[in-house]
Amino acid sequence: MTADLERAAALYLPLCAAAIAWLLRGRQPRQFAASLLSILWTLPTLLILQRLNQHFAWWSFAPGSEASLRGMPLELYLGWAILWGIVPQLAFQRLALPFVAGIMLAFDLVAMPLASNALHLNSTWLIGESAAVILVLIPAIVIARWTLTNTQLLARALIQVTTAGLLFLYLIPELIFALRPGTGWQPLFALSSPVRQLALQGVFVLALPGIAAVLEFAERGVGTPIPYDPPQRLVTSGIYRYVANPMQLSCVIVMLAWAALLRSPWMGIAACISIAYSAGVAEWDEAQDLAQRFGMPWKVYRARVGNWLPRWRPYHGGAGAILYIAQSCGPCTQVREWIEARKPLGLYIVPAESLPAGTIRRMRYDPHDGTPTVEGVRAMGRALEHLNLAWALCGAALRLPILWRIIQLFMDASGLGSRVLTPAHPLPRLLLPDAQAYIGPSQVKPVAPRP
């Protein structure tokens, strides 16, 4: 009975603490989004922590709880998630992150030994506690703090991508395995190593449109996919040139592929539920919100770009983007000819020599919509989105935060790095696919195409 009381206290005490902190703090802008992202991080990472605990035996749980996940009583699992995922975000908003982490760690160091009937600590339990702080607590506090203060947008987007992957590819299967015991992860691990690696790479390729869409929200929309932290600008670039709902489409396809790899019909049912939600509630709510916030530009975009069936050629709205490529560089000229041969839409290629000396050292992509320019590998990745769907996916992969730096490093090491250009004088005549639509900088004036 004492163990039952301790398990109940582990759930209801954090619930009460979260409720009191919410009442005392009151409603604040972005508070719900911060708390939601925080607890969505703690739920899968706490389960990963328990899997590590099963291997290293930091602690064990007393028998008696009928509901459990991987041997962890459900009351303790949910209570811990609330304690670390919500309470510090509400109660300690003004404290620096080290102090918040220190307070929560101190509470654990006191509370865990007291729960001796429900929780048995082994000699190495402090190592497990340290792993919990690093894996679960600190990232949960960080993502909540950044969301609340609306800072570190790109880092928040990357954490949201990671959280989504943990939820759909790990937590949901674990919940299914707990409710419907079967072969679990065995079908995946039964594959030979080369086949398993190819399968995982295939899943990543299927997830690429969703990842690219999240990053597009951050880079061009100044927001995230979370409804309470939405983009401030209408995003019709990147993968959104081809499909209006890349995140939902990618999520469903990945879940179906994951269901096939795990041979789990229940995972397939979860994907079907996701389709129903996306095509019903989410579509209606998003359409209402976007139409209200962006008006006619959104309606024009949606009239030409579908929700689920991607276009092959990109949607082009607005004045178009500018790609600056040097004419005096042999490899650059070949790149220009290669791009022009594929008839890009909404992309105008301009000699880099037309800019003032010293202002450009790499290929540059200027979206010409008030958002930042990019150079080098990322500029090439942006240019590819103006060709067709296949090349747009390649461009999205090129622009992934870590990958583009690695590729740029290798290109610089091979002699294809930055260089100083001599400005052309007088300015060369420009051959533009649509001179009337082109709006260039003051240094470059559009010239009608030669007959």
Side-chain angles (χ1 to χ4, degrees):
M1 180 61 70
T2 305
D4 292 337
L5 290 175
E6 290 178 354
R7 283 193 291 267
L11 173 60
Y12 290 109
L13 287 180
L15 268 176
C16 292
I20 293 172
W22 181 274
L23 292 174
L24 293 177
R25 179 65 60 182
R27 295 186 62 180
Q28 293 183 341
R30 311 178 64 86
Q31 180 63 72
F32 183 82
S35 300
L36 176 64
L37 286 170
S38 180
I39 197 167
L40 288 179
W41 175 267
T42 60
L43 287 171
T45 52
L46 276 176
L47 200 53
I48 293 175
L49 180 71
Q50 172 58 13
R51 295 301 299 269
L52 294 174
N53 172 56
Q54 289 180 321
H55 179 74
F56 293 105
W58 295 317
W59 48 72
S60 59
F61 303 98
S65 179
E66 296 181 356
S68 63
L69 281 175
R70 291 295 176 181
M72 185 178 188
L74 194 59
E75 303 95 329
L76 295 178
Y77 171 68
L78 294 177
W80 206 349
I82 295 170
L83 181 66
W84 279 10
I86 296 181
V87 172
Q89 329 316 343
L90 297 175
F92 309 116
Q93 291 181 4
R94 297 180 181 178
L95 292 181
L97 189 148
F99 290 104
V100 178
I103 292 172
M104 303 311 297
L105 174 61
F107 178 85
D108 263 20
L109 295 179
V110 173
M112 292 180 71
L114 292 177
S116 56
N117 294 294
L119 181 65
H120 303 300
L121 302 178
N122 296 325
S123 58
T124 57
W125 77 277
L126 290 178
I127 298 177
E129 182 68 15
S130 301
V133 170
I134 296 172
L135 175 65
V136 185
L137 178 61
I138 292 179
I141 297 173
V142 165
I143 183 61
R145 188 67 56 88
W146 287 346
T147 302
L148 191 63
T149 58
N150 198 17
T151 55
Q152 303 296 331
L153 181 56
L154 183 58
R156 278 160 44 207
L158 293 175
I159 293 178
Q160 289 183 22
V161 168
T162 305
T163 302
L166 291 173
L167 289 172
F168 291 110
L169 301 183
Y170 180 70
L171 182 61
I172 290 179
E174 284 287 351
L175 293 175
I176 291 174
F177 300 154
L179 295 173
R180 292 284 186 258
T183 56
W185 299 99
Q186 185 58 36
L188 179 62
F189 291 109
L191 298 174
S192 64
S193 180
V195 174
R196 184 167 60 250
Q197 291 179 21
L198 286 175
L200 294 177
Q201 291 172 24
V203 169
F204 173 78
V205 171
L206 295 176
L208 182 59
I211 298 172
V214 175
L215 296 178
E216 199 72 16
F217 268 23
E219 295 175 3
R220 304 291 289 274
V222 196
T224 72
I226 299 298
Y228 298 91
D229 184 24
Q232 301 174 21
R233 302 168 55 98
L234 177 62
V235 179
T236 60
S237 56
I239 193 64
Y240 283 95
R241 296 182 186 274
Y242 297 89
V243 63
N245 265 334
M247 283 181 253
Q248 295 172 5
L249 176 62
S250 185
C251 175
V252 169
I253 295 176
V254 166
M255 290 179 69
L256 290 174
W258 207 235
L261 285 175
L262 297 177
R263 299 178 186 176
S264 171
W266 293 100
M267 191 72 186
I269 293 175
C272 293
I273 294 174
S274 176
I275 294 175
Y277 171 79
S278 300
V281 178
E283 164 64 15
W284 175 82
D285 181 65
E286 290 175 2
Q288 292 285 332
D289 174 66
L290 293 171
Q292 182 178 3
R293 288 198 292 135
F294 300 117
M296 187 54 66
W298 159 252
K299 295 178 181 179
V300 172
Y301 167 75
R302 280 297 288 113
R304 299 179 60 185
V305 181
N307 264 345
W308 296 89
L309 185 62
R311 298 163 54 104
W312 176 246
R313 291 284 279 168
Y315 166 78
H316 167 45
I322 308 167
L323 184 67
Y324 294 98
I325 301 182
Q327 285 186 332
S328 56
C329 165
C332 303
T333 301
Q334 294 177 353
V335 170
R336 173 178 180 152
E337 292 173 351
W338 183 88
I339 295 175
E340 289 178 336
R342 281 149 185 82
K343 300 179 180 179
L345 292 177
L347 180 69
Y348 305 114
I349 303 178
V350 176
E353 291 85 355
S354 61
L355 296 177
T359 61
I360 184 170
R361 292 177 176 269
R362 300 180 190 273
M363 178 193 305
R364 178 181 296 168
Y365 178 91
D366 184 356
H368 212 76
D369 60 0
T371 56
T373 62
V374 291
E375 297 186 344
V377 170
R378 288 185 294 172
M380 185 62 188
R382 282 292 180 187
L384 293 178
E385 76 184 46
H386 293 264
L387 305 183
N388 57 48
L389 179 60
W391 283 116
L393 292 175
C394 294
L398 275 180
R399 293 185 287 106
L400 290 176
I402 297 177
L403 186 59
W404 78 262
R405 294 180 183 275
I406 296 175
I407 297 176
Q408 190 69 69
L409 180 64
F410 277 103
M411 292 187 65
D412 291 350
S414 63
L416 297 175
S418 62
R419 63 185 64 195
V420 178
L421 300 177
T422 302
H425 186 76
L427 294 179
R429 289 173 58 85
L430 306 180
L431 296 178
L432 303 177
D434 185 359
Q436 297 298 323
Y438 172 69
I439 304 177
S442 59
Q443 297 87 355
V444 183
K445 298 181 179 179
V447 178
R450 294 173 180 172

